Amino acid sequence: MPDKLIYDRTAADVARVNELMRKVRAGSATDAERAEWLGGRMKGAWNASDLNRINDWLAYLTDFLEAQGYSAAVFLRHTPWTKADFPTRNDIDRIRRSVEALQNCFFALPDWREIVYNGTMNFDQANVLEWDLGRIEIWLQELVKAANIRQANTLFMQAGGVFNA
């Protein structure tokens, strides 16, 4: 299973990134602050680890859906994102369309959050993408549980069973 999704980013997380960036540029960051900055896992900035996690979740959920007989028009990145990569609007919109394509395999999910197509990616929209991926996985797990109840050779499916009476 891919790394845990992050959908609890806040304005305070963004402020922390900005504060550390200012300190690093000014040369006043402590060793701990530099390590935090260089770690690449700050919730207030979208970075390669976030983009790779989302791509991993897209691949995982696409495979999960295919195993259940569904297909989605998901466009995966085939090379990992690096710190040197800078996502373009086309890259971000491709991710947005892919998340929506997974959701479109269902009827409207009740806890789906709206994906906004605009020229930016803020912490709210980053949260939405990862939230929606998490909800898809929950609903897929529920779909599988429901399908397993009705498998052949169960009380429900045997000759004379509830569904075959």
Side-chain angles (χ1 to χ4, degrees):
M1 177 169 278
D3 289 344
K4 186 177 179 210
L5 293 164
I6 298 171
Y7 44 82
D8 62 349
R9 296 169 184 88
T10 65
D13 295 323
V14 175
R16 179 67 178 157
V17 167
N18 290 331
E19 175 189 5
L20 289 179
M21 182 172 49
R22 182 185 50 74
K23 285 183 171 184
V24 167
R25 287 183 178 164
S28 62
T30 66
D31 288 342
E33 289 171 328
R34 276 193 296 283
E36 182 182 357
W37 174 257
L38 295 172
R41 297 216 176 253
M42 298 185 70
K43 291 193 314 184
W46 233 31
N47 54 48
S49 65
D50 296 306
L51 293 165
N52 287 324
R53 180 179 53 256
I54 288 172
N55 199 68
D56 292 347
W57 271 90
L58 288 169
Y60 165 71
L61 291 172
T62 299
D63 291 346
F64 197 148
L65 276 164
E66 286 178 359
Q68 306 311 314
Y70 296 91
S71 65
V74 172
F75 302 98
L76 300 171
R77 182 178 168 107
H78 297 289
T79 57
W81 290 91
T82 68
K83 290 181 181 183
D85 292 327
F86 185 78
T88 65
R89 177 159 184 189
N90 285 339
D91 292 324
I92 301 303
D93 284 350
R94 176 188 48 78
I95 292 168
R96 290 170 170 149
R97 283 190 306 277
S98 293
V99 173
E100 284 184 335
L102 290 172
Q103 194 274 145
N104 287 337
C105 290
F106 298 91
F107 294 102
L109 297 177
D111 46 359
W112 183 258
R113 294 184 180 167
E114 182 181 359
I115 296 172
V116 176
Y117 286 80
N118 57 22
T120 65
M121 176 53 70
N122 61 27
F123 72 90
D124 284 325
Q125 278 300 298
N127 285 342
V128 165
L129 290 174
E130 296 201 51
W131 170 269
D132 287 349
L133 288 169
R135 299 295 67 93
I136 292 168
E137 203 248 346
I138 288 169
W139 285 99
L140 274 171
Q141 295 290 351
E142 292 301 316
L143 176 77
V144 169
K145 284 182 201 172
N148 286 340
I149 291 172
R150 293 174 184 85
Q151 288 184 356
N153 204 25
T154 65
L155 173 65
F156 292 101
M157 299 305 286
Q158 294 171 351
V162 175
F163 292 122
N164 293 313

